[in-house]
Amino acid sequence: MYFMITLATGAKYELVRQAEKCRSTGSAFVAAVLEAVDRQLPLAPRSSKMIEGWRGDPAAAAVAMRVNGALHALARRGQPRYLADLYNGEHDDFDGAIAEALAQEDQFIADWMRYPTQTNEVARGAAVMAALMAVAKQRPTPFQILELGSSCGLNLNLDRYAYQLGAVAAGDVSSPVRIAPVWRGADPPVADVSIESAQGVDLSPLSALDPSHRERLLSFTWADQPARSQRLEAALQIAVAHPPQVHRGDARLWLAQRLAERQPEGVCRAVVHTMFIQYLSDRERQSVAKMMAAAGAGATADRPLVEIGLEWTPDRREVQLRCTRWPDGDTTILAICHPYGEWVEWRGFPDATA
């Protein structure tokens, strides 16, 4: 029998806070896993020490989701067996299964937590596609996509997916990746999105061609949401056939280099990021903002620049889809979104036309 143990540190609050967030966004299973981890974490001294001594904001670093990913990875491997049985729905002894896993696999969990979460949720591409459509409606030019924090680069293939955005169909209607978020508000404008090129950057990019990288991504999906895993697997197969161009490096340095390159005339350069800004320090955020403003100052009607970001607000109250367009430099909140793309509340540009 495992006794309920509590960890009286800031990390304890983060595990409980994230559990509440998971339950409110539709994952009771992950919430129960994190609550069990909160009670049993002292059984994993290495992992517990790492969390207790975490430098920086544990919420911004998604520490709780790193732990959840490690446990899901273990369950997918079938060990410990009692943990795998929990994930397979064969029992609901969360404390027993989590306690055993923490005690037996402490080193694995601690090693796993050294690396950031890598969700690369393709459902977020629906909001990005809608934003591109809104821009293309008013300025119908091809896009040159520059993505920050690309992970495996799955959203660099966003034009290879099928979307249902309210009453509007978009993308490749024959695609095995079908994304249909619950749509609130008006439909997005109908416009063709042509992508001339797409490339991204990540500090530790993953490759769809590497089985271990595919498994890592799948482990960060939520175990009680199989549709997300199935959609991810389909997107990974597309990435195997059409490998995204993801560079390894610091996003700020890479972006500075890309923005310094001459932009083709008649092409809209689009800097895109989803759930990326939260991992930057305040100084790094300001650096990116200044870089974009400087590039925007040189934008013209023939060489426009847009920034599309799907990010938490600083108080983590909501996820906003924001778009800044240059040469004007106007910023618009196009939509409020579910963190993983399950729903989109569309607002659009204030000057949008039908």
Side-chain angles (χ1 to χ4, degrees), residues 65-89:
M65 302 318 296
R66 297 186 192 208
V67 178
N68 177 65
L71 291 168
H72 193 189
L74 289 169
R76 289 177 61 87
R77 298 178 186 191
Q79 59 183 28
R81 184 72 256 168
Y82 200 51
L83 180 72
D85 290 345
L86 172 69
Y87 277 73
N88 290 332

Side-chain angles (χ1 to χ4, degrees), residues 46-47 102-112 114:
R46 293 183 181 88
S47 302
L102 290 172
Q104 292 185 12
E105 300 291 346
D106 185 17
Q107 188 63 60
F108 175 90
I109 296 168
D111 289 342
W112 182 282
R114 297 181 189 280

Side-chain angles (χ1 to χ4, degrees), residues 16-236:
V16 173
R17 187 201 68 80
Q18 188 60 51
E20 294 172 349
K21 179 72 72 174
C22 290
R23 185 170 281 110
S24 68
T25 52
S27 183
F29 182 90
V30 173
V33 165
L34 293 177
E35 288 164 348
V37 172
D38 171 58
R39 294 187 289 266
Q40 305 298 339
L41 188 56
L43 294 171
R46 293 183 181 88
S47 302
S48 178
K49 182 179 179 180
M50 178 179 290
I51 293 175
E52 288 180 318
W54 195 271
R55 294 183 178 180
D57 183 355
V63 170
M65 302 318 296
R66 297 186 192 208
V67 178
N68 177 65
L71 291 168
H72 193 189
L74 289 169
R76 289 177 61 87
R77 298 178 186 191
Q79 59 183 28
R81 184 72 256 168
Y82 200 51
L83 180 72
D85 290 345
L86 172 69
Y87 277 73
N88 290 332
E90 297 178 21
H91 67 79
D92 60 358
D93 181 11
F94 283 87
D95 278 281
I98 298 302
E100 181 183 37
L102 290 172
Q104 292 185 12
E105 300 291 346
D106 185 17
Q107 188 63 60
F108 175 90
I109 296 168
D111 289 342
W112 182 282
M113 288 178 59
R114 297 181 189 280
Y115 301 94
T117 57
Q118 295 268 25
T119 52
N120 211 176
E121 177 56 68
V122 293
R124 293 173 182 151
V128 175
M129 175 59 78
L132 292 172
M133 292 167 65
V135 173
K137 180 68 174 181
Q138 299 188 344
R139 185 176 287 152
T141 59
F143 290 98
Q144 179 190 80
I145 304 294
L146 303 176
E147 186 184 31
L148 309 180
S150 295
S151 186
C152 195
L154 299 184
N155 280 325
L156 291 172
N157 277 333
L158 86 168
D159 59 337
R160 302 183 188 276
Y161 308 149
Y163 304 92
Q164 190 63 46
L165 311 175
V168 176
D172 180 358
V173 296
S174 66
S175 175
V177 177
R178 312 196 69 80
I179 305 172
V182 174
W183 199 266
R184 304 169 185 168
D187 292 333
V190 178
D192 291 332
V193 171
S194 173
I195 297 181
E196 184 232 27
S197 64
Q199 57 180 317
V201 64
D202 199 278
L203 277 175
S204 301
L206 301 182
S207 171
L209 301 176
D210 187 327
S212 67
H213 289 187
R214 294 198 299 270
E215 180 58 29
R216 185 168 183 83
L217 280 176
L218 288 164
S219 297
F220 279 117
T221 60
W222 290 357
D224 54 348
Q225 297 182 353
R228 287 180 63 195
S229 297
Q230 293 166 5
R231 186 169 55 224
L232 175 57
E233 288 176 329
L236 285 168

